Amino acid sequence: MAKIGSVEIGKGRHVKVMGIINASPESFFKGSVRTGFDEVAQAAREMQGAGAHVIDIGAMSTAPYLDTIIPVEEEIRRLKAAMEAAKSACSLPISVDTPRAEVAEAATKLGADAINDVTGLKYDRRMAQVVAKAGLPVIIGAYSRTPASGRVAGTVRALKESIALAKKAGVRKEMMLVDPSIGFFRAEGKNPFFTKLADGDKTPWYSRDLEVLSSLYKLAALAPVCVSVSRKSFIGHLLNLPAAEQRMVPSVACEVVAAINGASLVRTHSVKETVQALTMLELLRR
């Protein structure tokens, strides 16, 4: 069991929904970008009204196939503006999506309720200490600084390494969630936030994502699982849907399967549709 704000996440609880607000114009799904105060506030208000439990704000895209690194100062500026707007419009807890410790420090001062690090506290060696000092829950992404297998065993190994780092820094077990980092195990990329597949791992990146989604129960043995599949490129590759705008329906299908297979938190661009689908799943399970 873990908590973000007052939201309980884990086994025995209904699957929770985390709405994505991207304050980063470079994000891969342009439909999720909200840069002005009114735009962010409206998005937060709509997400709360649609049934989201948590909002996740990112101010720099980490998409592996894009060249998106911006100065830390710009990421903090964007984050501050977006958090102020979201807090003005809704009462949901706010998670901040960043792999950089300096940004995470700023987020804690701005009132963040959680840190979401797709690099599992490994890209920035100060991140574990920052999270521990703040006493905030952390979503730990599967990540390796060196080439690694993207198979389920390799994903679990990467997460166990990050959990050990967190524990060593003083992060309590009940403050951790894990994320399999769908889309972030690849043969190549344009930034340091993805895991390069080892030469011996011949699994195509899109097959890796399918395999991991089918085996989430193995990750759930470590900590509550957060899954982010919304609009991602493996869906586009498999279904020949080049535009992220085309991928909403298969995204929701993947989210439902993730919930069935052990996910406790679903991070999505499509809050209304995801909430409806997961509510229907709960009704069918009765």
Side-chain angles (χ1 to χ4, degrees), residues 225-257:
V225 176
C226 171
V227 167
S228 180
V229 295
S230 184
R231 313 276 182 160
K232 289 199 169 177
S233 56
F234 81 99
I235 295 170
H237 179 88
L238 291 167
L239 300 183
N240 191 28
L241 300 173
E245 290 75 9
Q246 299 172 308
R247 304 172 191 161
M248 193 259 293
V249 171
S251 293
V252 174
C254 289
E255 291 166 351
V256 170
V257 170

Side-chain angles (χ1 to χ4, degrees), residues 194-238:
F194 77 102
T195 298
K196 184 175 178 61
L197 290 171
D199 290 340
D201 189 345
K202 301 303 181 183
T203 307
W205 59 272
Y206 47 88
S207 296
R208 177 265 173 187
D209 291 340
L210 290 178
E211 178 184 325
V212 171
L213 285 173
S214 298
S215 305
L216 290 178
Y217 63 93
K218 295 182 180 179
L219 278 64
L222 303 175
V225 176
C226 171
V227 167
S228 180
V229 295
S230 184
R231 313 276 182 160
K232 289 199 169 177
S233 56
F234 81 99
I235 295 170
H237 179 88
L238 291 167

Side-chain angles (χ1 to χ4, degrees), residues 15-30:
V15 178
K16 302 304 193 297
V17 174
M18 171 183 276
I20 301 169
I21 294 179
N22 285 320
S24 44
E26 66 275 5
S27 290
F28 81 96
F29 176 36
K30 301 309 179 186

Side-chain angles (χ1 to χ4, degrees), residues 165-197:
L165 284 174
K167 286 182 176 178
K168 184 177 180 180
V171 180
R172 302 192 310 276
K173 184 68 165 62
E174 64 269 22
M175 304 297 279
M176 302 181 206
L177 298 90
V178 295
D179 184 328
S181 298
I182 298 299
F184 283 83
F185 280 69
R186 292 173 173 263
E188 58 184 19
K190 296 184 177 181
N191 64 44
F193 309 128
F194 77 102
T195 298
K196 184 175 178 61
L197 290 171

Side-chain angles (χ1 to χ4, degrees), residues 44-117:
R45 191 177 300 114
E46 289 177 355
M47 287 179 179
Q48 182 163 12
H53 303 92
V54 183
I55 286 176
D56 190 54
I57 296 178
M60 178 183 72
S61 173
T62 53
Y65 49 88
L66 299 176
D67 185 7
T68 58
I69 296 180
I70 60 174
V72 167
E73 296 76 14
E74 175 62 10
E75 186 179 358
I76 292 173
R77 185 196 68 76
R78 293 177 180 178
L79 179 64
K80 183 176 186 293
M83 285 187 67
E84 288 175 350
K87 283 178 172 291
S88 76
C90 80
S91 58
L92 298 179
I94 293 176
S95 165
V96 169
D97 179 8
T98 184
R100 304 200 284 197
E102 190 173 344
V103 178
E105 283 180 318
T108 63
K109 294 174 183 176
L110 292 167
D113 297 284
I115 299 298
N116 178 11
D117 182 0

